[in-house]
Amino acid sequence: MRAPNGCPVSARAADFDPFSDGYQQDPPDYVRWSREQEPVFYSPQLGYWVVTRYHDIKAIFRDNITFSPSIALEKITPTGPEANAVLASYEYGMSRTLVNEDEPAHMPRRRVLMEPFTPPELGHHEAMVRRLAREYVDRFIDDGRADLVDQMLWEVPLTVALHFLGVPEEDMDMLRQYSIAHTVNTWGRPKPEEQVAVAHAVGKFWQFAGKVLDKMRADPSGPGWMQYGIRMQKQHPEIVTDSYLHSMMMAGIVAAHETTANAAANAIKLLLQHREAWEDICADPSLIPNAVEECLRHNGSVAAWRRLATRDVRIGGVDIPAGAKLLIVTSSANHDERHFNDADFFDIRRENAGDQLTFGFGAHQCLGKDLARMELQIFLEEFSRRLPHMRLAEQAFSYVPNTSFRGPEHLWVEWDPAANPERRDR
Ligand code: HEM
């Protein structure tokens, strides 16, 4: 078998399947062979070139002209006619937002919409995140057992996301289902019979986004990022377009919510699996900010991202033709020995943990990264202070099969409520 550049496809490259359990459970381990022996390879099953080393991935992020982000939200598994007809019946029209917008349109839009992400603006959300984290922990602190994903880590980031965007708090369970459908639709491999159900959920999500936007247009005075976008549209209609606003309304809910929920679940799981690190942060909360970076490096919530080669180009010594689609496995870059010493080792004091590529890098680097960091830090502060004795319950972890958004579907923890520090201190 040969790749589009005429080179032979190795057996391991031919076997690469990012929807298999091996990739789902541990993406950087699944592509260890590639990092070591064949850092750029063509995957015939996916129709993508896969890139796994830190240096190559950072270089790709740095050059968003050669490596266009336009395919970042494209369906990785093209849907069949039935699902396409369902999407069309909802007038589904997800298009360019920021994350998949090319230059020269992208940067002026990013600049015009940036202010709500600056530290003074984000500071306004801190008290709410803290209050929500406390209220949710209050609900189960006396139970001795909780599924942190179902009982807190989905809903709190979703509430924060809606608040940040300025979207009224609607039916949370419905939005969770819509978000998962969007993930499967964009980065998953649903079977033909699942595709129709996913298409209905995605179509409804699109209509929901449109309705919320229409209401906001009637009164765009609120403090949310979407209202800010509507106000900016009046000054810069050619930069902040209608299509952008509708697409962003839907994509923004997912970008701000699911990524952070998964990151929180991954971080707590990882810390409880490394008891010493957990006890260190319980004893000294000033370690938490760096621990968050190390969690995002070691087990981030975005495992891989995508780019499109706009010209013939060489990556890691391999010739890639114009038009090639790239899966850049950022979670693998984060375990690259060439950049991180003893890369598989989980070290909350690691000096260069902040070099992780989970938020991307360069012109499109995640705009919400500091909001996500704030949420993760507050969750860890609250858990380490109020439930330092919690431990992981016996369980098998499952993941929604897809290339990019990654976190356990459930995270069961347990503890002895009689030993809760706040009972002792009463
Ligand atoms: C872009 C990850 C949280 C809003 C991105 C990108 C990644 C990412 C990988 C693409 C970067 C690139 O192409 O270089 C994450 C992770 C998060 C998170 C892992 C949580 C741990 C958030 C939050 C928000 C947000 C909370 C909003 C409140 C955005 C936006 C972009 C983006 C608007 C597009 C930026 C651009 O293209 O200019 N994020 N994200 N993200 N993210 Fe996040």
Side-chain angles (χ1 to χ4, degrees), residues 127-139:
M128 184 196 55
V129 177
R130 175 89 54 197
R131 176 179 56 74
L132 284 170
R134 289 193 176 157
E135 280 174 14
Y136 274 72
V137 175
D138 283 344
R139 292 182 193 174

Side-chain angles (χ1 to χ4, degrees), residues 85-154:
V86 170
L87 286 171
S89 72
Y90 291 97
E91 294 176 33
Y92 178 67
M94 170 66 91
S95 182
R96 302 297 180 99
T97 57
L98 280 172
V99 81
N100 58 354
E101 183 63 281
D102 281 313
E103 305 304 343
H106 164 259
M107 202 35 95
R109 188 178 294 160
R110 179 168 163 120
R111 287 209 185 94
V112 158
L113 297 171
M114 206 157 194
E115 200 187 298
F117 290 98
T118 55
E121 294 298 319
L122 287 183
H124 300 316
H125 301 279
E126 193 172 335
M128 184 196 55
V129 177
R130 175 89 54 197
R131 176 179 56 74
L132 284 170
R134 289 193 176 157
E135 280 174 14
Y136 274 72
V137 175
D138 283 344
R139 292 182 193 174
F140 55 70
I141 192 160
D142 290 321
D143 296 351
R145 188 173 158 81
D147 174 358
L148 295 185
V149 173
D150 273 357
Q151 291 177 248
M152 171 168 173
L153 298 177
W154 269 85

Side-chain angles (χ1 to χ4, degrees), residues 26-275:
D26 191 346
D29 191 48
Y30 183 73
V31 294
R32 185 182 303 276
W33 65 274
S34 158
R35 242 175 4 262
E36 286 167 4
Q37 297 155 27
E38 202 187 339
V40 180
F41 66 90
Y42 181 72
S43 160
Q45 291 196 39
L46 203 59
Y48 274 65
W49 292 83
V50 182
V51 186
T52 57
R53 280 192 188 159
Y54 187 91
H55 179 81
D56 294 333
I57 291 180
K58 201 158 182 178
I60 290 169
F61 274 131
R62 212 174 255 133
D63 181 356
N64 63 324
I65 307 299
T66 306
F67 301 106
S68 156
S70 56
I71 59 167
L73 301 182
E74 190 177 281
K75 287 180 203 147
I76 204 158
T77 305
T79 37
E82 211 186 329
N84 290 342
V86 170
L87 286 171
S89 72
Y90 291 97
E91 294 176 33
Y92 178 67
M94 170 66 91
S95 182
R96 302 297 180 99
T97 57
L98 280 172
V99 81
N100 58 354
E101 183 63 281
D102 281 313
E103 305 304 343
H106 164 259
M107 202 35 95
R109 188 178 294 160
R110 179 168 163 120
R111 287 209 185 94
V112 158
L113 297 171
M114 206 157 194
E115 200 187 298
F117 290 98
T118 55
E121 294 298 319
L122 287 183
H124 300 316
H125 301 279
E126 193 172 335
M128 184 196 55
V129 177
R130 175 89 54 197
R131 176 179 56 74
L132 284 170
R134 289 193 176 157
E135 280 174 14
Y136 274 72
V137 175
D138 283 344
R139 292 182 193 174
F140 55 70
I141 192 160
D142 290 321
D143 296 351
R145 188 173 158 81
D147 174 358
L148 295 185
V149 173
D150 273 357
Q151 291 177 248
M152 171 168 173
L153 298 177
W154 269 85
E155 263 184 40
V156 176
L158 177 54
T159 313
V160 175
L162 296 178
H163 193 261
F164 176 82
L165 296 168
V167 177
E169 283 173 37
E170 296 279 336
D171 183 340
M172 300 296 224
D173 287 339
M174 178 191 80
L175 283 177
R176 181 174 173 183
Q177 294 317 316
Y178 285 178
S179 293
I180 294 173
H182 173 70
T183 295
V184 172
N185 186 49
T186 313
W187 296 287
R189 179 141 294 181
K191 296 193 180 68
E193 60 273 20
E194 285 169 82
Q195 285 182 10
V196 170
V198 167
H200 277 292
V202 170
K204 285 181 189 153
F205 195 4
W206 178 253
Q207 289 200 334
F208 166 81
K211 279 192 198 130
V212 174
L213 193 60
D214 287 345
K215 263 197 213 154
M216 268 184 196
R217 281 188 195 283
D219 173 16
S221 63
W225 188 47
M226 292 309 301
Q227 284 94 339
Y228 184 82
I230 293 170
R231 296 198 295 276
M232 286 296 128
Q233 187 182 40
K234 299 211 167 94
Q235 292 172 37
H236 308 279
E238 71 299 346
I239 295 180
V240 184
T241 58
D242 283 343
S243 162
Y244 159 78
L245 284 172
H246 194 161
S247 299
M248 194 68 207
M249 178 60 92
M250 177 166 154
I253 292 174
V254 181
H257 147 222
E258 213 174 323
T259 51
T260 314
N262 282 329
N266 288 336
I268 293 166
K269 171 173 174 279
L270 197 54
L271 282 160
L272 294 180
Q273 283 169 333
H274 296 82
R275 194 78 209 175

Side-chain angles (χ1 to χ4, degrees), residues 61 98-99 106 110 255-256 259 301 307 358-361 364 366 368:
F61 274 131
L98 280 172
V99 81
H106 164 259
R110 179 168 163 120
T259 51
S301 52
R307 290 290 189 261
T358 303
F359 290 124
F361 182 76
H364 288 269
C366 178

